[in-house]
Amino acid sequence: APRLVARGHRVAFAVPFGSALADAFEGSGIDVTEIALRSTSPLEAIREVRALARAQDFDILMGTGFFSNLVVRRTGAGCLVVNQVAVVPGSERADGAGAVNSAVRRVADSLGRSKVDAFVAVSDAVAHELADRGVGADRLSVIHNGIDIDEVKRAADETPRPELPDRPLVVCVARLEPVKGVEYLVRAMPTTSAGTLVVVGDGSQAARLREVAVALGVSDRVRFVGYDPSATRWLAAADVVAVPSLAEAFGLVPLEAMALGKPVVATNVGGLPEVVKNEVTGLLVPPGDPAALADAIQTVITDADRAGRLGEAGRRRAATGFSAEAMADAYDRLFCRLIAQRG
């Protein structure tokens, strides 16, 4: 957002009450308005966004998630409508959603699709799925997420380092939900020589994952530290960063790990292969396969030279291919093109 402002755009956010963005942008000159952006009251959300759009005379309304995308389609405020798609459509099944829930989401997503001027997929994998669902190439762009490399490094350097468990150290930063595949990573631990697996995050699967670690006899080697807003410090401390997702649209965690020069072991799903290049910046394995995860982790932690090469290649790839500047440039071009087309 600040980079778009620097390029001449006026940027404002409508966020749910209590969003951390309200504090993050304080004093930045970027407007943040808190509204009732709740799926339980969609009509109220639509009314509030419509009123905000008309009051501030926006050119473009952009949703950044399933619900907000549906809302901006229905505002009718005369704005251009952009939908960012940051999950692989249909991946809710891997997160425990039933067939009925998934079908309802698919129908809801098809409604009002004609009102969208541009869809932004965060990866080629998402774009392919959107194309399969009928989104034409003339309305579809791929803009990879980007990170502020310097900020990631600064956060890692300035945050107090955690109390380090036994080496080698495997780190996983993820929501503890089925789609993130953390259980398969825990099940990989008995056959690796890794000293400790640190799991950073929280979610509905937290208690179950602890039970699995106890049942496998590795509870002394698997450390659950819960949600940590300074998760970068754990990535910086890792010998290898593991991303065992069953579905993933892009993958910011492996990208931040690469920026810190860490080798990555990830599953070959969704947009992860677009971030992690197999045998170049990390190793890719099939999803839901503890043995494959264990083999890849073992390969990295027992070959220091190889781990160093993977980490250094990852550092270069993050800096050259996924910067926040490149992301801002791509959105700048998209927004300017849409406005020019409208005349």
Side-chain angles (χ1 to χ4, degrees):
R3 286 171 172 80
L4 286 173
V5 171
R7 286 161 173 77
H9 297 275
R10 176 169 59 93
V11 180
F13 283 83
V15 301
F17 286 105
S19 169
L21 282 177
D23 294 331
F25 283 129
E26 187 174 359
S28 68
I30 294 174
D31 248 5
V32 181
T33 303
E34 294 179 296
I35 65 172
L37 198 62
R38 298 186 300 268
S39 58
T40 53
S41 54
L43 293 180
E44 184 179 3
I46 291 169
R47 282 195 298 268
E48 292 203 44
V49 172
R50 180 186 296 131
L52 188 63
R54 286 176 173 168
Q56 299 205 26
D57 192 27
F58 292 133
D59 294 299
I60 295 171
L61 282 180
M62 178 172 169
T64 60
F66 181 77
F67 179 63
S68 63
N69 282 340
L70 298 184
V71 168
V72 298
R73 295 178 190 180
R74 294 292 179 180
T75 57
C79 301
L80 291 158
V81 173
V82 176
N83 277 185
Q84 184 199 57
V85 184
V87 297
V88 178
S91 62
E92 66 275 359
R93 295 299 300 274
D95 213 11
V100 173
N101 178 287
S102 184
V104 168
R105 285 177 63 93
R106 184 160 186 157
V107 170
D109 186 44
S110 68
L111 299 175
R113 193 178 286 170
S114 62
K115 299 179 183 297
V116 181
D117 296 283
F119 288 86
V120 176
V122 298
S123 65
D124 291 329
V126 172
H128 291 155
E129 186 61 33
L130 288 173
D132 287 345
R133 294 189 175 209
V135 176
D138 59 323
R139 291 194 294 159
L140 184 55
S141 299
V142 176
I143 300 179
H144 288 123
N145 288 324
I147 60 172
D148 187 326
I149 307 292
D150 292 336
E151 180 58 34
V152 171
K153 294 177 180 177
R154 183 161 49 250
D157 290 339
E158 294 179 356
T159 307
R161 289 299 172 94
E163 180 184 342
L164 296 179
D166 293 339
R167 295 285 191 177
L169 179 62
V170 180
V171 171
C172 174
V173 179
R175 291 184 297 115
L176 302 189
E177 302 297 341
V179 72
K180 294 302 183 180
V182 179
E183 179 174 337
Y184 299 101
L185 182 58
V186 175
R187 292 187 179 279
M189 283 300 289
T191 54
T192 74
S193 60
T196 305
L197 164 64
V198 172
V199 179
V200 185
D202 205 354
S204 65
Q205 299 291 296
R208 169 172 170 72
L209 291 170
R210 287 183 171 87
E211 292 171 359
V212 171
V214 171
L216 293 173
V218 293
S219 59
D220 59 330
R221 297 173 53 210
V222 180
R223 181 173 170 182
F224 295 93
V225 300
Y227 172 73
D228 186 344
S230 303
T232 309
R233 65 189 187 135
W234 291 103
L235 297 178
D239 294 297
V240 58
V241 173
V243 186
S245 303
L246 303 181
E248 195 73 59
F250 179 72
L252 282 171
V253 168
L255 183 54
E256 290 189 349
M258 287 160 50
L260 295 171
K262 302 298 177 179
V264 177
V265 169
T267 45
N268 190 13
V269 298
L272 285 175
E274 298 171 45
V275 179
V276 181
K277 289 300 181 184
N278 191 37
E279 298 288 355
V280 178
T281 68
L283 301 179
L284 294 175
V285 301
D289 190 336
L293 278 168
D295 287 347
I297 290 169
Q298 189 69 15
T299 296
V300 174
I301 64 179
T302 56
D303 189 338
D305 289 341
R306 187 178 192 179
R309 290 195 301 272
L310 294 174
E312 185 53 39
R315 193 195 309 273
R316 292 194 301 270
R317 180 167 171 76
T320 58
F322 299 99
S323 71
E325 288 294 327
M327 181 183 180
D329 282 341
Y331 275 106
D332 177 38
R333 289 192 297 270
L334 172 65
F335 295 154
C336 290
R337 175 172 61 81
L338 290 174
I339 293 170
Q341 286 173 348
R342 171 167 281 194

